[in-house]
Amino acid sequence: MTATMDFRQMAQYIGFAICSLIVRTVFGVLDILWGIVREIVNGVFRVAIGIIVAILSTIVFFGFILWLFTL
C-alpha cells in the first residue's frame, strides 16, 4: 500500500512539474510576442509623431518667412 501511495505521489509531482513547465513556456512565448507587438506599435506612434512634427515645422517655417515679407 505504501509503495502504491509513493508511486501515486511521485506521479503527481511529475505531472505538476510537466504542467508548470508547459505553462511557463506558454507565458514565455506570449511575453516575447507581446514585446514584438509593443515595439511595432511604439514604432508606428513614433513615426506618426515625427511626421506631424515635420509638417508643423514646415508650416511654421513658411509662416515665419511670409511674416518677414510683411515687415
Side-chain angles (χ1 to χ4, degrees), residues 10-51:
M10 187 59 68
Q12 283 179 346
Y13 286 152
I14 292 172
F16 179 71
I18 291 172
C19 288
S20 63
L21 177 67
I22 290 171
V23 169
R24 287 178 61 186
T25 304
V26 167
F27 279 130
V29 170
L30 289 176
D31 184 45
I32 291 171
L33 292 176
W34 176 249
I36 292 171
V37 169
R38 190 175 60 212
E39 287 297 323
I40 290 172
V41 170
N42 285 338
V44 168
F45 278 125
R46 191 174 296 137
V47 168
I49 290 172
I51 290 172

